[in-house]
């Protein structure tokens, strides 16, 4: 909630927000503080006043700006287009409505003198819309758990990368959560309403991988008894994750490079050109730059997939997150297997904290 009137903010917190289930709230009284808080931990919903100070110094001397709300709105809609925005307005209705339809992302307006029950209902409506939106894409995907400095940096980068229509290369050791990060990027992008399709490239032989990705025509090879749609067509309008991209052969790299350049391909055994609108995310635990130097990976393809490289920290680099991760996995497993386990003892936590975790988060989950 962005509101410089502390008394009003406290009223809304006490009479409205505190009565909502599973809702965490934070407050800011000036543009600078609000933007920093939103970038650090992007929320699902922002309630924003229209007239308030630009900086903490302006707040201190009581100098509100008529541009305050519009600056926050412009920043949020540019970097975080999935965030829903509700205007807190003391202005005339016509002004609020013009703002509502003049900015993408503004989903409602609330007049400050409205009854608390009405404000609560309108906020509940927004929260329900958020829940439905997440449900339509299978939720926000696996949780990105952790509050360490490396994870805070990673979340900020994901929030900035997700809205941009660029290819992403996720780098990280086995078990660090590359698929989780890819799903987060999809869920926070403009494609979140489309499918999220994943392929483990290491699981297929060269000929089968080409068919898996691009599809094939009946009779194009032994066993091709009917036409088949590939993963690229299945991901139309959404995101395709190619995990273990370092295992892809040069011939498949050539077809992938053509897709990145032309957004088109031919299914195996066909001369029919297929065009699709798909965002490509690649992931690997291998050193692709070194593979390029050794002639084991195409340089042109490497540069096309690493437009936005994203490195995942190892679990050893963020050991302070181990108790949070352990509690997260314990809660989920206890629910799935109907076990009445509610906590991890201090002694067990100490053992978890001192281990080196060569298998990273995946190893911790298995343990």
């Amino acid at each position: 909630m962005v509101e410089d009137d502390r008394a009003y903010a406290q009223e809304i917190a006490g009479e409205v927000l505190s009565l909502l289930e599973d809702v965490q709230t934070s407050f800011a009284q000036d543009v600078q503080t609000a933007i920093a808080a939103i970038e650090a931990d992007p929320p699902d919903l922002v309630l924003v006043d229209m007239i308030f100070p630009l900086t903490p110094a302006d707040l201190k001397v009581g100098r509100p700006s008529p541009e305050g709300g519009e600056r926050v709105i412009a920043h949020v809609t540019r970097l975080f287009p999935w965030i829903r925005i509700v205007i807190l307005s003391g202005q005339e209705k016509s002004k609020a409505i013009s703002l509502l339809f003049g900015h993408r992302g503004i989903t409602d307006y609330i007049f400050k003198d409205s009854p608390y029950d009405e404000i609560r209902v309108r906020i509940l409506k927004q929260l329900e819309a958020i829940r439905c939106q997440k449900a339509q894409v299978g939720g926000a995907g696996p949780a990105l758990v952790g509050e360490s400095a490396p994870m805070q940096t990673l979340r900020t980068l994901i929030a900035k990368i997700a809205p941009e229509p660029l290819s992403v290369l996720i780098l990280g050791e086995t078990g660090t959560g590359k698929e989780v990060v890819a799903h987060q990027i999809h869920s926070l992008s403009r494609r979140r309403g489309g499918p999220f399709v994943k392929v483990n490239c290491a699981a297929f032989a060269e000929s089968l991988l080409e068919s898996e990705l691009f599809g094939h025509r009946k009779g194009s090879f032994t066993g091709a008894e009917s036409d088949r749609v590939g993963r690229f067509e299945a991901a139309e309008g959404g995101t395709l994750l190619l995990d273990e991209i370092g295992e892809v052969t040069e011939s498949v790299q050539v077809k992938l490079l053509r897709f990145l350049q032309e957004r088109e391909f031919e299914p195996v055994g066909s001369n029919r050109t297929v065009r699709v609108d798909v965002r490509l995310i690649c992931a690997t635990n291998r050193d692709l730059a070194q593979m390029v130097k050794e002639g084991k990976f195409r340089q042109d393809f490497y540069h096309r997939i690493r437009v936005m490289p994203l490195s995942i920290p190892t679990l050893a680099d963020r050991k302070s997150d181990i108790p949070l991760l352990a509690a997260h996995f314990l809660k989920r497993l206890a629910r799935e297997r109907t076990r009445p386990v509610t906590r991890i003892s201090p002694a067990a936590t100490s053992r978890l904290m001192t281990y080196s975790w060569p298998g990273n988060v995946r190893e911790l989950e298995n343990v």
Side-chain angles (χ1 to χ4, degrees), residues 142-155 158 171-181 184 311-326 328-329 352-357 359-365:
L144 195 62
V145 178
E147 298 299 332
S148 63
M151 290 303 291
Q152 294 286 5
T153 299
L154 180 61
R155 281 198 183 89
I158 290 173
L171 305 168
E173 292 183 5
T174 299
T176 50
K178 295 186 289 294
E179 183 181 323
V180 174
V181 170
Q184 288 285 315
S311 296
I312 314 267
T314 65
L315 187 55
D317 290 332
R318 57 183 189 107
K319 280 199 166 184
S320 62
D321 289 330
I322 289 175
L324 292 174
L325 286 161
H328 169 75
F329 292 136
L352 296 177
M353 293 292 288
T354 56
Y355 181 61
S356 61
W357 300 110
N360 292 291
V361 177
R362 185 178 299 155
E363 183 182 7
L364 173 61
E365 180 180 11

Side-chain angles (χ1 to χ4, degrees), residues 275-295:
R275 295 187 62 84
V276 291
D277 177 23
V278 172
R279 180 183 193 168
L280 189 65
I281 297 179
C282 297
T284 184
N285 62 356
R286 303 189 66 178
D287 186 345
L288 296 186
Q290 183 61 34
M291 291 178 66
V292 170
K293 291 180 181 179
E294 297 172 356

Side-chain angles (χ1 to χ4, degrees), residues 25-100:
T25 59
S26 60
F27 300 89
Q29 292 181 277
D30 63 87
V31 172
Q32 185 175 316
T33 303
I35 288 176
I38 291 169
E39 288 186 348
D41 188 13
D44 291 317
L45 176 66
V46 173
L47 306 178
V48 57
D49 189 12
M50 296 310 300
I51 301 176
F52 58 93
L54 301 180
T55 67
D58 292 334
L59 175 66
K60 190 173 182 179
V61 299
R63 187 164 53 221
S65 169
E67 299 179 359
E70 294 196 41
R71 288 198 183 187
V72 171
I73 291 168
H75 189 83
V76 170
T77 54
R78 180 171 60 86
L79 292 182
F80 311 105
W82 70 91
I83 294 178
R84 299 176 77 87
I85 300 171
V86 173
I87 297 172
L88 296 173
S89 178
Q91 306 173 61
E92 293 182 0
K93 187 174 182 179
S94 58
K95 174 64 173 176
I97 291 176
S98 69
L99 288 168
L100 175 63

